[in-house]
Amino acid sequence: MVKLNEIVYCEPNGNLKQPFVGRVEKIYERTVLVKVLGHHDCDRWKVIELTGRVIVAIKKVKSAVLTTPEEQLTSGFSQLNEA
């Protein structure tokens, strides 16, 4: 379940071509309003055009916070800690 002010990873949607990171600003019935915090360079002008906010389907959003060791292992972030 997505929560207000949560940092999330978002899959590409109709507006942006690459995955991006953002913060949930508002939750609707099946979508969320996300403030874009990090994006791919190719989406730079589109993010500016959208004033840094995008509506995303809830099923295309997942939490960026890794809470369990199993999630950390499967995400690939554990490799960054070893370096």
Side-chain angles (χ1 to χ4, degrees):
M1 183 70 186
V2 178
K3 298 175 188 160
L4 198 60
N5 293 319
E6 183 175 19
I7 304 297
V8 292
Y9 289 119
C10 302
E11 295 177 20
N13 59 15
N15 292 311
L16 302 179
K17 296 177 182 176
Q18 298 292 323
F20 59 95
V21 177
R23 182 176 46 84
V24 176
E25 290 193 336
K26 187 159 178 108
I27 301 173
Y28 299 103
E29 194 170 317
R30 294 187 191 117
T31 59
V32 291
L33 176 63
V34 176
K35 170 74 173 167
V36 178
L37 301 176
H39 57 83
H40 192 272
D41 287 342
C42 71
D43 290 325
R44 178 176 179 235
W45 292 109
K46 194 64 174 177
V47 171
I48 292 169
E49 180 182 321
L50 296 168
T51 63
R53 290 177 173 79
V54 182
I55 298 286
V56 183
I58 288 179
K59 59 186 175 183
K60 293 196 171 213
V61 171
K62 68 178 182 178
S63 176
V65 178
L66 303 175
T67 56
T68 65
E70 292 80 23
E71 288 177 336
Q72 292 174 358
L73 289 174
T74 58
S75 71
F77 285 110
S78 61
Q79 296 170 357
L80 296 174
N81 294 334
E82 294 173 358

